[in-house]
Every structure is written in structure tokens, then in C-alpha cells.
Amino acid sequence: MSAKPDLKIVLCSPRGFCAGVVRAIDTVERALDKYGAPVYVRHEIVHNKYVVDGLKKKGAIFVEELAEIPENTSAPVVFSAHGVPKSVPADAQSRNLFSLDATCPLVTKVHREAAIHFKRGREIFLIGHSHHPEVVGTLGQLPTGAVTLIETAEDAKTISPKDPNNLAFVTQTTLSIDDTAEIVALLKERFPNINGPHKEDICYATTNRQLAVKKVAPVVDALIVVGAPNSSNSQRLREVAEREGCKIAVLAQRATDIDWTKFGNITSLGITAGASAPEVIVEEIMDAFAERYTLHVETVSAAEENEFFPLPRQVRPEAAAE
């Protein structure tokens, strides 16, 4: 039997679950423990099939709209980490549904910023991707027409506000740092008085994972991003790797997604994971490569992460004693 070829694996750090994702998944699991099955979840709690399937097995039922939830149920309904339009909690209240809000606090921060700008009479731009649930939720915080979506640099160059001196912008939390910086620079150049966030809206986890990929992508033959196709932060990681010169940059939800024909002649491989991808799948993919190669593993770190977000009050451990 011939010896397996050597393969250097460079793990990006940080990678995988962020504090907002941990909080959202824990909210569903604590609700199941405390109230029993079923627990309804509006939209995927996070964009990861492995996570969603695991919660389904424990008794979570995923719905796209509250209308799918039976009348007169006492089961909790959890709002996903991406946030929801204001109409959704209002609808839940009108139907006497018991709701738990697992919206990431960093998304809630963007909602609050937009509300403050609106109260101050400013026209608001939202930098983000249309139809992404986070963007739908942010747009839905304010009356129709109060927020204008900017998706590209071209949008920033051509948008015509009513009053160029009374503007503000907020951004989706999971965007490309570089793309967003370009759009913000264009807006500030065109509208010098535009009001932006005091602290960058792109979340720490998105930023840190992109910085790690920027370090690793130029020095490996290929890079795998563990993540789902509908995960914005995972797609941005793949794009960053390509932009940094990595010729083979692919997204994989599981080891079974790997197209081995693309990895035949590589001697080094970078691996990262989107903020909603569990570490167990990183290990699964490394195991798949270990069957074909002799692995030599190292880690490249871009930042330390120790963020923690408390759970919704109703499912915190101390709530059990109340």
C-alpha cells in the first residue's frame, strides 16, 4: 500500500460559532428542556442544516410564518438570530403566543440605531443584501419607505436622497468588510454630513473570521469554508479567500459535499467555518482528508474571542427558581 501524500492543514482562528449563534441555539434547547416539545421556531434559528436538523430531532418545529403555528397552543415560539420585523412580535401578541426573542444583540443594536435616526427625522440607508432575513427584519423596524436599501457600490454612486444633509446609514452585520468600506467611503464622499454608527455595525465575529481568512488564503493551495449557501457570513468568507488570491475556495456544508477532483494536487489547505457552522463539521471534513492524506495541522489566529450574550430572561437558569 502506497504512503498517503502529505497535506498541511491551516486552521483559521477564530472560526465557527459566534456568541449570537450560541445564544440562539441555547435559547431553543433551554426552551425544550423547560417547556417540553414542541417549540416552534420562526425561520431557521441559524443558517445551518446540521444545527437545524439536530434541533428538529429534539422537538423543535421550524416554520416560515406564524400562521403555520396552530391556534391556542401554549408552546413557545422562538424568533431567529437574524431578527424579525416589528409586525411579527405584534402578530404573536395578538394571537397570545408565548414568544422568545433569540435575535442577536448586535442585530438589535442596528435596529435601535435605525429607530433613533428615524426619530431624528433622517433619511436612512441600509447597506445589505435584499431578502436576507436580517435585512428584512431591519427594514421592518420602521414604516415602509423610511429605509432605502443599498446593495452595491453602484447603488451608492447613484442614489438620490431627498435631503443630502439629513442622512444616516446602518449596515447588515454579516457583510464583507472591504465591500462595505468601499460603499461607506462613497457615501461619505457624496454626503459629507451623513451620520454613521458610533461603532461599526459589521459584527466582531464576521470581522474576525474575515481577517483570519485574509491571513491564510494567500499561503494555501485551497480553502474550504464550512457553511451553508444561504449563510451570508459564510459566503463572504469564500469571497474574501478568492479576493486574496486563493485559486480554490469552496463552501461545504458537510464532508459529503467535497468535490475531490478539485483537491487532487494540493499540498496545503485552509479551513474555516462560518459563524453558524459547528466545529464537529470541521472535524468531519478533516477526517475525510485524513483518509486520503497524512495531515500536518497548524492554526493561524487573527483575534481572541470571549464575547458572551445572556439568554432571554424566560430561559435563563435563574428563571427556573422564580
Side-chain angles (χ1 to χ4, degrees), residues 11-309:
L11 292 173
C12 296
S13 177
R15 63 181 179 276
F17 282 175
C18 63
V21 164
V22 170
R23 177 181 184 270
I25 295 168
D26 284 354
T27 297
V28 178
E29 291 186 331
R30 290 282 183 90
L32 285 163
D33 288 345
K34 185 172 181 179
Y35 305 108
V39 168
Y40 291 94
V41 185
R42 184 188 178 276
H43 191 67
E44 291 184 343
I45 187 71
V46 296
H47 284 154
N48 187 273
K49 186 175 186 301
Y50 182 92
V51 170
V52 168
D53 287 348
L55 292 172
K56 281 180 182 175
K57 286 174 186 165
K58 294 177 181 177
I61 297 174
F62 290 83
V63 298
E64 281 305 304
E65 299 299 340
L66 298 185
E68 299 168 51
I69 298 173
E71 296 292 335
N72 303 317
T73 181
S74 60
V77 54
V78 180
F79 302 145
S80 80
H82 312 98
V84 294
K86 271 191 170 177
S87 58
V88 174
D91 184 20
Q93 190 172 9
S94 72
R95 291 184 53 194
N96 294 317
L97 294 173
F98 169 44
S99 61
L100 298 167
D101 189 358
T103 301
C104 174
L106 298 179
V107 174
T108 301
K109 167 182 163 284
V110 176
H111 292 179
R112 288 184 182 139
E113 287 169 356
I116 289 167
H117 290 312
F118 182 71
K119 278 182 186 170
R120 292 177 179 167
R122 294 169 182 150
E123 189 176 344
I124 303 163
F125 298 150
L126 168 60
I127 302 169
H129 299 292
S130 66
H131 307 304
H132 187 279
E134 184 188 326
V135 166
V136 172
T138 302
L139 290 171
Q141 298 305 303
L142 297 171
T144 304
V147 183
T148 303
L149 186 64
I150 293 180
E151 295 193 78
T152 64
E154 191 58 35
D155 291 345
K157 289 174 189 172
T158 57
I159 196 154
S160 298
K162 298 180 192 77
D163 181 354
N165 292 309
N166 195 26
L167 299 173
F169 73 88
V170 294
T171 85
Q172 185 180 333
T173 62
T174 54
L175 299 176
S176 156
I177 308 166
D178 295 335
D179 289 347
T180 306
E182 180 189 7
I183 291 171
V184 169
L186 284 165
L187 290 174
K188 286 182 175 177
E189 184 183 339
R190 289 189 65 205
F191 314 112
N193 295 327
I194 194 167
N195 291 272
H198 295 297
K199 188 175 182 297
E200 187 57 66
D201 282 339
I202 295 177
C203 81
Y204 77 91
T206 298
T207 301
N208 292 344
R209 280 149 191 72
Q210 288 182 27
L211 291 175
V213 167
K214 283 186 172 190
K215 280 186 166 186
V216 171
V219 298
V220 292
D221 298 327
L223 187 137
I224 291 175
V225 178
V226 179
N230 61 339
S231 164
S232 175
N233 78 85
S234 299
Q235 288 286 12
R236 303 298 80 77
L237 291 173
R238 182 185 56 76
E239 291 169 3
V240 168
E242 288 176 344
R243 190 175 291 171
E244 294 297 317
C246 188
K247 291 184 174 61
I248 305 166
V250 299
L251 204 61
Q253 295 196 80
R254 301 295 298 270
T256 49
D257 293 342
I258 296 169
D259 178 358
W260 293 102
T261 61
K262 291 184 176 178
F263 299 95
N265 298 315
I266 64 169
T267 59
S268 57
L269 172 70
I271 301 178
T272 188
S276 48
E279 184 65 12
V280 65
I281 304 181
V282 173
E283 293 166 4
E284 175 187 284
I285 285 172
M286 288 178 66
D287 288 344
F289 275 92
E291 291 175 9
R292 294 163 173 81
Y293 298 90
T294 299
L295 303 188
H296 305 274
V297 182
E298 62 182 68
T299 298
V300 169
S301 180
E304 290 290 321
E305 287 184 356
N306 52 16
E307 279 77 7
F308 169 78
F309 296 140

Side-chain angles (χ1 to χ4, degrees), residues 307-318:
E307 279 77 7
F308 169 78
F309 296 140
L311 292 168
R313 185 180 51 77
Q314 303 98 316
V315 290
R316 288 179 199 167
E318 62 267 25

